[in-house]
Amino acid sequence: MEAVTIKDIAKALNLSTSTVSRALRGSYEINAETKKMVLEYADKVNYSPNPIALSLKENKSRTIGVIVPEIANNFFSQAINGIEDVANKRGYHVVIFQSHESYEREIKNVQHIIARKVDGLLISLSGQTENVSHLLDIQAKKLPLVLFDRVSEKIEAHKVVADNFDGAFKATEHLILSGRRRIAHVTSPSLLSISQERLMGYKTALEKYQIPYDESFVKYCGFEPEEAQKLIFNLIENQKPDAIFTTSDRLALDCFSALKELGISVPDKLSFIGFTNLKVAHLLAPSLSTIVQPAFEIGQTAAELLVDLIEKKQRNAEHLKTIKIPTEMVIRKSSDLS
Amino acid sequence: MEAVTIKDIAKALNLSTSTVSRALRGSYEINAETKKMVLEYADKVNYSPNPIALSLKENKSRTIGVIVPEIANNFFSQAINGIEDVANKRGYHVVIFQSHESYEREIKNVQHIIARKVDGLLISLSGQTENVSHLLDIQAKKLPLVLFDRVSEKIEAHKVVADNFDGAFKATEHLILSGRRRIAHVTSPSLLSISQERLMGYKTALEKYQIPYDESFVKYCGFEPEEAQKLIFNLIENQKPDAIFTTSDRLALDCFSALKELGISVPDKLSFIGFTNLKVAHLLAPSLSTIVQPAFEIGQTAAELLVDLIEKKQRNAEHLKTIKIPTEMVIRKSSDLS
DNA sequence: TTGTACGCGTTATCAT
DNA sequence: ATGATAACGCGTACAA
């Protein structure tokens, strides 16, 4: 009973496939009655065009590929939300791949995704990615490409990012204005663009208030389970910060956990601000002020741009651009974490 | 430079497309030299077959559809992780749709996914889904179908779930054995299979220790932001429980948050256990003992089963089965949440 | 061993 | 206004 095709309709109605096709897409001049008949019958038998045949014909898959480091990461799952939102509205499928923060897997994903003939690619770089030749390959193939969130200076491409500099600047400034001076910065691997941009914001804020920059107050933390704990203990014991600016839910939570073990009270001894998304962070760490990451909007914007690129709807789509999505600061005043 | 096809190779090598095709798939008897030549050339020009053409020919998309309530939910993102893990290994794409806990959107997703000609469907039901006729439609179309985590009694199909009864029983028993008697149960909407199964586990444990079951100690909580808070305040003030058994990260965190506002200490006045995944929960709520949800394994198992169904590799795939994945209990002893 | 021809579902082009 | 045909890329039955 399945898979009713144009051919079936044509046969049933004693028409040619071309007539049916025209009737279905309404376009060409066609006898109103014939058209009506076809439409009714098609509706009755629940006809829907075979997207695979369409793809073959148009040499398009109406699919966009997405490569992210980790789907079970609040930032990326929200970003994917935004991507799917736009993609579905505009008639595209989304296929998702994870690099699991591995450069090699990222390359494999890129190859796989190219072989699968997606119409365009959205990518957020792994924590290990330094070389971007796999992305240059994509550009060489004229495959529409948009980098989001974790981008690279080494490639000229369309990019959608959060305004990390501004967010980090405001975060640091907020801590300074609360009277803190020994402000530590616990952040993601130094290879990442987001780390670099945030570090610049942090440094610039220190400069503005003439607080000397001390490298030992900045800790880059990878994705291994144990890594953060050690590093944070170390930081707190040696540098004795009076504030910490962290850059993700995970790092913020790791910090809180460490502080709890050390019996250090927040925000009395330590003041906090982080780049986070998670409501969880707010719920359990009421003293954590936050620079809200515009994950959903980044996803939406990146997808919108990519689809425009694919469909060449934007005249100025050819000239590269980097879109910065603003962040929002949420200040928490409660002090009842203990 | 793109899109090199069999035809191109044939032309370049002065062969027919069929010869090239045969050489590529290695199968048929073919001159060893010709074969080698073709393979080398194909490799050189970086040939890869057009999956869309394949799909059209075989009437298969090598794509599986997944419908979940919400991707930005730790349980489901981990489950999707498991699904992708298996799917990619076995050469399938995964397309993900979200019902956002809405019955209507779930139906639309199902329709859309059918029109897109996926080879099979994995679904976890929305919190509103009572009627499953959209799933019966799928079965009528002979489209392989596997339900996971949130399933329904109203449809006979392959199902993969956590052992919710067992987990809930052990959770409740643990609280009882710690000396608690006024054990509340804060859980997801009563429509959901997981809620029902867990309630049974809870009840059975109470029975075993001859603690009378009091309906007012069970609170079903939907997905609206404010809902949980009110309900929990109400529960604590009226029923004055000495323990709470919750069934998700979100609900557990909402409870902790409410308790903090009420100034109730954990675990002195209240003891806790929850069905959770999140490391976050452990980090910030050391007093929260946990029944670990086997999200990743559920995803893997469901995907494995679905692909088997699609490829009919399993002889006994025809006869329906429900696979239960065991849960694991992690007891936290710390009492330093305050 | 290799080449020719067809079909998968659709639309565009060129008749009629 | 409508029908016949080619084409998208591939695999394969059949012919040579």
Side-chain angles (χ1 to χ4, degrees), chain A residues 15-164:
Chain A
L15 289 170
S16 77
T17 56
S18 11
T19 306
V20 175
S21 173
R22 280 189 287 249
L24 255 17
R25 38 187 21 249
S27 48
Y28 262 69
E29 303 151 4
I30 193 174
N31 187 315
E33 283 183 45
T34 317
K35 185 171 170 178
K36 194 180 156 200
M37 180 197 299
V38 172
L39 255 29
E40 275 172 8
Y41 185 77
D43 189 59
K44 182 182 142 205
V45 297
N46 220 318
Y47 168 81
S48 88
N50 183 327
I52 297 173
L54 264 314
S55 293
L56 180 59
K57 183 137 199 50
E58 298 170 7
N59 198 24
K60 293 192 37 179
S61 57
R62 290 200 81 80
T63 295
I64 66 186
V66 178
I67 301 177
V68 293
E70 203 75 53
I71 197 183
N73 166 318
N74 213 265
F75 176 83
F76 291 113
S77 57
Q78 283 179 237
I80 288 170
N81 246 314
I83 293 169
E84 299 228 326
D85 178 54
V86 170
N88 290 340
K89 269 181 196 142
R90 298 187 63 171
Y92 284 76
H93 265 327
V94 176
V95 295
I96 299 163
F97 290 86
Q98 307 182 60
S99 62
H100 294 289
E101 303 288 3
S102 148
Y103 175 55
E104 281 139 43
R105 287 191 74 152
E106 182 173 303
I107 289 181
K108 279 196 185 139
N109 285 340
V110 166
Q111 291 168 341
H112 188 202
I113 242 170
I114 289 175
R116 281 292 201 155
K117 300 243 184 295
V118 298
D119 293 343
L121 180 59
L122 291 171
I123 185 167
S124 194
L125 269 23
S126 90
Q128 293 179 352
T129 303
E130 208 166 351
N131 184 319
V132 293
S133 55
H134 53 312
L135 301 185
L136 299 177
D137 289 349
I138 289 177
Q139 292 188 313
K141 290 196 197 314
K142 307 285 183 201
L143 188 64
L145 172 70
V146 175
L147 281 72
F148 72 100
D149 190 51
R150 299 178 179 186
V151 302
S152 168
E153 301 270 312
K154 293 183 185 151
I155 182 172
E156 293 190 9
H158 296 272
K159 298 168 189 174
V160 179
V161 296
D163 195 341
N164 290 301

Side-chain angles (χ1 to χ4, degrees), chain B residues 47 78 126 156 211 223 256 258 263 280 291 307 331:
Chain B
Y47 167 83
Q78 284 179 236
S126 91
E156 293 189 7
I211 298 173
F223 304 97
F256 275 99
V280 165
I291 305 295
V307 174
I331 303 301

Side-chain angles (χ1 to χ4, degrees), chain B residues 4 69 133 157 176 178 190 198 217 219 230 262 280 321 326 337:
Chain B
V4 33
S133 57
I176 296 171
S178 324
S190 59
R198 289 165 187 170
F217 275 68
K219 298 293 177 195
K230 284 180 196 160
L262 292 173
V280 165
K321 55 179 168 188
L337 191 88

